[in-house]
C-alpha cells in the first residue's frame, strides 16, 4: 500500500490532490500506526498541542526552545540540578540584559551546557541496539523496503519518513497554500493549509514512536551491543558531563551557614530589642529554640532563593566561576568531553538559527506563498476582501490587545512559518530522518568543520588532546582497507557522521587529506583566511568551514556560503567557484519537476517546470542558461531616490545580474508602471445615502507618466491638452482625469440602471460600487510585489533582532 502511494505521489496529476492524499494516508496507515504503537494518549496530547499553533503567537506548549526539545529528551538528574537549570532558563528567556552583555552571554552558555548534554543523550539514543537496522540504501520510491535484505525488521518508520519528506517537498512546490473556492461566497479553500498542519503533526508522531520504541533504563542508559564497544565513548562522555553539571549545580546553590559568632550576635540583638520593649529576657530554653530556628530558616531556603542571594552578592563573577568550574572538571581526563560540548553546542546553535528562516536549507519565503496569487487573479469574482487592496490589507500585523481576527492572512502566514520552523527542528530529533537525509549526504554540503589551533594561546587548553582523541575514536577507528560500502545503520557509517561539525586542529592535520592549508588559504567569498584565530569570537562561527559536494571539494566559511545562497533571487544551491550545484529538494526524494502543479518557488515563475529538466544538461551552455532562468534575479524592491525612472533597473539597490533576469523584471515592472502611473483609477467605494453617485476618481495630482508619450498622450491630445511644460501637463492631466471620471462614472451607473438595477440612483440608501478589475497578470504582479516587500521587511526585522544565521556571532574579523 505505502509503496504504491510512493509511485502515485510522483505522477499524481494536479497537486490540488495533495491534501486528499494526506487525508487518505491518515485514515488508513496512521490509524494502524497509532493502534500498533499504542500512542493514542500521546496522539491526543500532540493534537491538543498543535491547536496552540492557531494562537496569535503560534507556539507549541510542549516543545521547548531553543532546539524545540521534548521533555523526553531530558537527561535524568537530581532535583537540585533540574531546579538550577529551570532558574537559568527563566533568566535567559527574561532577557533582562542585552544579547551582548557578559551576564546574558554567561547565562546562555550555562543553559547550553544542559541542552548539549541532552543532545548527547539523543546521539546515544541514535546508537541504541533497539534502533531498527537498515542494511542497504532504500530506493527513493521505497520499493525495496519490503525486502528482508534491506529492512530485516520490516520497520515501517522508514516508509513513513519517506512519505513525510515527499509530501512536504510537494507542499513546498505548490503555487500557494490558500486558493479561492469555486463559489466565491465561501471564501478561501484551506485544504492545503490543513495538509501542512498534518505533516507537522505526522513528524511529531514519528518522534513519539521513536521515544516509545527506544527506551532508556533506570540508569538513563540505552541498550548497547556488549560485543561492540566502539560507540561507548559517546555514553561515557555524557555521563562525565552530567556528573560535572551535578557538581556545578551543588556549588551554585551553596550558601555558607551562620557561624556561632553570627548566631550569638543575632541572639544578643534579640535580647536588646526585648529589653528596650520592656519585656523579660529569653529563658535558656527559649534561646535554644531561637538558635535552632535560625539554623532551620537558612537550611529551608529554596534553590531559587539561594541562587538569588549568590548572584546578588557576586553577580557576573558568580556565573564566571561556575563556567570555569565546569571546564576544569571536564578536563580531568582526555579533553574529549569539553570538545564534544563545544561541537554539539555549535551544531545546535547553527541548526536553531537556520530553522528561523529556512526549511530544507532554503529560505522558507523562497519556497512557499500563502496565496495562490495567479489563481486568485484568474478566477476570483470581485469582492472587497478578495481585491488586491483587501488581500494586502489582510497581511497587516495582528494586534491581540485589540482583538485581532485570528483568521487574518497575517495570522495564517505566521502559523505556516511556525509549522515549518518546528518541523525543521523536530525532524532532527528522529534517527530515521537523520539517517535518510543528513547521513545519506542529501544536504547541500558534504561536511562542516570547526577549525582550532592548539598552538594559539587564545584557544582552550583541551584543543590538542580533545581533537586527537575525537579523531581516534570517531574517524580512525572506522578507517580500514575494506572499500565495501557499509550498511546505512552500521557504526562504521553512522559514527563518523553523527556529529554535524567535525573538529580540525590546523596545527597538526593532514593537509593532503583536505587539499587545503586552512591557516594560509582564504575563503573566496569574503577574501579572509579560513582560520580566523585570535580575532574570532570564541563562540562565533568565523572559523567554521563548509565543504561542498563538487568534485574539487571547494570550501567556504559557513556564513559566507549561506549569505550567498540566501541572497535575493537565489533559488539554487549553486557553488560559487565551479558553478556546480547541489541536488534540488525534489530530487532528493525522487520527484520529477513537472509533477502536478509545479512551481519552483513562490514567484509563480512559469518557466520553472520547463527549464528544470535542463539544469543538469550535459551541454554546459544549455545548463548555464537553464540555471539563469531558474534563479529568479534579485528583486528590485525600492528605488534609491524619489522620482527616478522605475524602468531603469540599474537604479535599484540590487539590479538583476543576467539578461534573463532583466527581461523578467522589465515585464513585471511594466505592470507596476501601467497601474501606478495611470491617471485615473476606478476604486471600490461605498456611496453614502444622499451622496453624489460619481465614483470614478483621480488617483492624485499627476506628474507626467512614463507612458505619456504613447496612447495616453494621444488621448489627452484629443481633449486639447498639448502643452509640454510640466506645470501645464500636471493641470491638463488632472483636468482630463476629472472629465473621464465624471463621464465614466455616469456611464456605468446608467448601464446598471438599464440592466434592471433599481437601486443605482436610490440616494436614500447606501450603495456599494465594486472596483474595476485589472488584467489578471497585473493583479498577480501587484500581489507578488507586495509579498516580496513584506518578506524583505521580515528578513530585516530578524537581522535587527539578532535571530537567524545573522545572530551566530561575527562572521569574520573586521
Amino acid at each position: 500500500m505505502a509503496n504504491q502511494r510512493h509511485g502515485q505521489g510522483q505522477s499524481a496529476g494536479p497537486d490540488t490532490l495533495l491534501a486528499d492524499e494526506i487525508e487518505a494516508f491518515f485514515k488508513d496507515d496512521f490509524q494502524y500506526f497509532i493502534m500498533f504503537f499504542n500512542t493514542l494518549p500521546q496522539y491526543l496530547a500532540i493534537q491538543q498541542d498543535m491547536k496552540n499553533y492557531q494562537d496569535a503567537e503560534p507556539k507549541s506548549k510542549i516543545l521547548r526552545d531553543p532546539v524545540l526539545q521534548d521533555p523526553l529528551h531530558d537527561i535524568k538528574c537530581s532535583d537540585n540540578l533540574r531546579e538550577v537549570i529551570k532558574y537559568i532558563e527563566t533568566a535567559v528567556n527574561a532577557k533582562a540584559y542585552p544579547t551582548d552583555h557578559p551576564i546574558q552571554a554567561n547565562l546562555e552558555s550555562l543553559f547550553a551546557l544542559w541542552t548539549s548534554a541532552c543532545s548527547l543523550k539523543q546521539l546515544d539514543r541514535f546508537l541504541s541496539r533497539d534502533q531498527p537496522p537498515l542494511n542497504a540504501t532504500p530506493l527513493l520510491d521505497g520499493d525495496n523496503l519490503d525486502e528482508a535484505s534491506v529492512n530485516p525488521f520490516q520497520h515501517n518508520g522508514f516508509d513513513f519518513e519517506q512519505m513525510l519528506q515527499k509530501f512536504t517537498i510537494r507542499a513546498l512546490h505548490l503555487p500557494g497554500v490558500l486558493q479561492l473556492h469555486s463559489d466565491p461566497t465561501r471564501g478561501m479553500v484551506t485544504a492545503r493549509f490543513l495538509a501542512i498542519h498534518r505533516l507537522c503533526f505526522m513528524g511529531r508522531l514519528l518522534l513519539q514512536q521513536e521515544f516509545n520504541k527506544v527506551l532508556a533504563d533506570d540508569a538513563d542508559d540505552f541498550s548497547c551491543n556488549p560485543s561492540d564497544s566502539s560507540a561507548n565513548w559517546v555514553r561515557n562522555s555524557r555521563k562525565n558531563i552530567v556528573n560535572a553539571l551535578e557538581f556545578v549545580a551543588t556549588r551554585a546553590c551553596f550558601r555558607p551557614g551562620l557561624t556561632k559568632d553570627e548566631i550569638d550576635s543575632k541572639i544578643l540583638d534579640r535580647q536588646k530589642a526585648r529589653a528596650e520593649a520592656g519585656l523579660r529576657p529569653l529563658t535558656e530554653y527559649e534561646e535554644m529554640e531561637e538558635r535552632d530556628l535560625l539554623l532551620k530558616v537558612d537550611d529551608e531556603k529554596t534553590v531559587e532563593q539561594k541562587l538569588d542571594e549568590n548572584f546578588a552578592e557576586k553577580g557576573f563573577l558568580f556565573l564566571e566561576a561556575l563556567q570555569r568550574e565546569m571546564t576544569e572538571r571536564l578536563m580531568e581526563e582526555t579533553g574529549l568531553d569539553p570538545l564534544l560540548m563545544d561541537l554539539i553546542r555549535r551544531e545546535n546553535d547553527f541548526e536553531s538559527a537556520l530553522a528561523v528562516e529556512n526549511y530544507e536549507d532554503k529560505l522558507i519565503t523562497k519556497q512557499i506563498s500563502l496565496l495562490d496569487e495567479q489563481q486568485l487573479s484568474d478566477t476570483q469574482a470581485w469582492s472587497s476582501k478578495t481585491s488586491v487592496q483587501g488581500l494586502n490589507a489582510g497581511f497587516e500585523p495582528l494586534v491581540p490587545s485589540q482583538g485581532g481576527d485570528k483568521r487574518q492572512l497575517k495570522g495564517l502566514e505566521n502559523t505556516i512559518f511556525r509549522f515549518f520552523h518546528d518541523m525543521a527542528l523536530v525532524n532532527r530529533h528522529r534517527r530515521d530522518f537523520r539517517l535518510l537525509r543528513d547521513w545519506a549526504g542529501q544536504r547541500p554540503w558534504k561536511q562542516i568543520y570547526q577549525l582550532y589551533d592548539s598552538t594559539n594561546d587564545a584557544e582552550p587548553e583541551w584543543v590538542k588532546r580533545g581533537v586527537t582523541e575525537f579523531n581516534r575514536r570517531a574517524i580512525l577507528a572506522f578507517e580500514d582497507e575494506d572499500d565495501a560500502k557499509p550498511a546505512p545503520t552500521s557504526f562504521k557509517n553512522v559514527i563518523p557522521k553523527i556529529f554535524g561539525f567535525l573538529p580540525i586542529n590546523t596545527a597538526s592535520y593532514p593537509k593532503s587529506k583536505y587539499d587545503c592549508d586552512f591557516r594560509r588559504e582564504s575563503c573566496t567569498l569574503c577574501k579572509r583566511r579560513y582560520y580566523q584565530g585570535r580575532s574570532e569570537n570564541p563562540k562565533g562561527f568565523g572559523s567554521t568551514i563548509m565543504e561542498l559536494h563538487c568534485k574539487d571539494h571547494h570550501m567556504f566559511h559557513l556564513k559566507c556560503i549561506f549569505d550567498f545562497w540566501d541572497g535575493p533571487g537565489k533559488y539554487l544551491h549553486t557553488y560559487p567557484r565551479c558553478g556546480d550545484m547541489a541536488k534540488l529538494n525534489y530530487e532528493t526524494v525522487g520527484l520529477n519537476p513537472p509533477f502536478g502543479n509545479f512551481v519552483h518557488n513562490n514567484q509563480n515563475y512559469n518557466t520553472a517546470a520547463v527549464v528544470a529538466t535542463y539544469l543538469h544538461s550535459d551541454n554546459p551552455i544549455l545548463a548555464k542558461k537553464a540555471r539563469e532562468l531558474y534563479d529568479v534575479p534579485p528583486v528590485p524592491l525600492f528605488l534609491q531616490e524619489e522620482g527616478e525612472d522605475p524602468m531603469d533597473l540599474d537604479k535599484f539597490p540590487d539590479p538583476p545580474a543576467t539578461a534573463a533576469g532583466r527581461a523578467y523584471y522589465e515585464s513585471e515592472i511594466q505592470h507596476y508602471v501601467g497601474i501606478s502611473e495611470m491617471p485615473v483609477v476606478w476604486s471600490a467605494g461605498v456611496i453614502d445615502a444622499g451622496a453624489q453617485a460619481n465614483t470614478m476618481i483621480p488617483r492624485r495630482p499627476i506628474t507626467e507618466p512614463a507612458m505619456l508619450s504613447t496612447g495616453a498622450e494621444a488621448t489627452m491630445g484629443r481633449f486639447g491638452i498639448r502643452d509640454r511644460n510640466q506645470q501645464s501637463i500636471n493641470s491638463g492631466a488632472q483636468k482630463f482625469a476629472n472629465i473621464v471620471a465624471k463621464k465614466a462614472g455616469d456611464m456605468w451607473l446608467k448601464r446598471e440602471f438599464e440592466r434592471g438595477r433599481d437601486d443605482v440612483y436610490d440616494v436614500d440608501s447606501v450603495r456599494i460600487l465594486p472596483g474595476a478589475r485589472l488584467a489578471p497578470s497585473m493583479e498577480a504582479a501587484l500581489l507578488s510585489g507586495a509579498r516580496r516587500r513584506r518578506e524583505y521587511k521580515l528578513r530585516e526585522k530578524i537581522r535587527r533582532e539578532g535571530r537567524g544565521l545573522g545572530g551566530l556571532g561575527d562572521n569574520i574579523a573586521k
Side-chain angles (χ1 to χ4, degrees), residues 21 75 128 172 261 280 291 306 352 364 387 398 456 472 477 503 505 516 530 659 715 720 734 768 772:
E21 293 179 44
I75 55 178
S128 170
L172 289 171
D261 290 342
R280 63 173 177 77
R291 290 177 181 276
K306 294 175 182 178
S352 298
I364 189 63
S387 66
L398 294 173
N456 186 342
R472 185 178 72 84
N505 182 1
C516 181
Y530 289 120
T715 303
Q734 191 65 60
I768 298 176

Side-chain angles (χ1 to χ4, degrees), residues 107-121:
L107 287 169
E108 292 176 356
S109 293
L110 287 169
F111 186 60
L113 296 174
W114 166 264
T115 56
S116 298
C118 294
S119 295
L120 280 175
K121 177 182 177 180

Side-chain angles (χ1 to χ4, degrees), residues 526-760:
C526 67
K527 312 303 181 186
R528 305 274 181 165
R529 290 181 180 176
Y530 289 120
Y531 176 69
Q532 289 296 297
R534 295 173 182 269
S535 59
E536 190 208 351
N537 175 354
K539 296 189 179 299
F541 287 75
S543 294
T544 308
I545 307 303
M546 182 176 285
E547 179 186 359
L548 304 181
H549 286 295
C550 53
K551 63 180 181 180
D552 293 324
H553 308 288
H554 289 137
M555 299 190 189
F556 302 89
H557 286 122
L558 178 146
K559 290 186 68 180
C560 290
I561 190 62
F562 264 99
D563 284 345
F564 177 77
W565 285 336
D566 289 350
K570 297 294 293 182
Y571 291 87
L572 298 172
H573 285 117
T574 51
Y575 299 160
R577 291 182 63 182
C578 60
D580 204 351
M581 58 179 282
K583 289 181 180 178
L584 291 120
N585 52 12
Y586 61 77
E587 293 176 323
T588 65
V589 294
L591 291 171
N592 291 325
F595 65 86
N597 189 7
F598 172 86
V599 290
H600 80 303
N601 58 57
N602 58 15
Q603 303 283 355
N604 294 340
Y605 193 26
N606 56 15
T607 312
V610 177
V611 304
T613 55
Y614 297 98
L615 291 171
H616 300 290
S617 172
D618 294 333
N619 185 329
I621 297 177
L622 189 59
K624 181 176 184 294
K625 188 65 176 178
R627 294 174 190 184
E628 286 182 359
L629 289 169
Y630 197 91
D631 257 351
V632 175
V635 179
L637 289 167
F638 307 105
L639 285 170
Q640 292 178 337
E641 295 182 14
E642 188 71 23
E644 289 186 345
D645 181 3
M647 292 302 295
D648 186 356
L649 297 183
D650 291 322
K651 295 294 185 181
F652 286 88
D654 293 305
T658 64
R662 296 186 72 87
Y664 178 80
Y665 277 108
E666 282 172 0
S667 172
E668 184 163 314
I669 291 173
Q670 284 280 8
H671 297 320
Y672 170 78
V673 171
I675 297 165
S676 65
E677 300 297 341
M678 193 179 296
V680 178
V681 62
W682 191 317
S683 295
V686 176
I687 307 168
D688 294 329
Q692 183 180 356
N694 178 16
T695 54
M696 276 298 280
I697 58 174
R699 179 181 292 277
R700 58 180 180 273
I702 298 175
T703 59
E704 180 178 10
M707 59 184 189
L708 193 60
S709 60
T710 58
E713 182 178 7
T715 303
M716 293 174 69
R718 291 198 297 271
F719 282 86
I721 304 172
R722 299 182 182 280
D723 193 339
R724 297 295 296 166
N725 68 69
Q726 187 65 51
Q727 181 177 1
S728 62
I729 287 176
N730 288 347
S731 61
Q734 191 65 60
K735 181 180 178 181
F736 166 70
N738 291 335
I739 292 171
V740 175
K742 185 178 186 305
K743 289 190 174 182
D746 290 342
M747 287 169 59
W748 184 87
L749 292 171
K750 181 174 183 294
R751 186 189 66 182
E752 291 299 297
F753 179 75
E754 291 172 348
R755 286 182 175 180
R757 285 186 57 179
D758 58 5
D759 62 336
V760 176

Side-chain angles (χ1 to χ4, degrees), residues 51 64 85 137 179 209 380 389 461 575 694 702:
K51 291 181 180 178
R64 305 197 312 272
I85 295 302
T137 302
Q179 294 179 298
Q209 177 200 26
Q380 69 171 337
Q389 296 88 346
E461 296 179 17
Y575 299 160
N694 178 16
I702 298 175

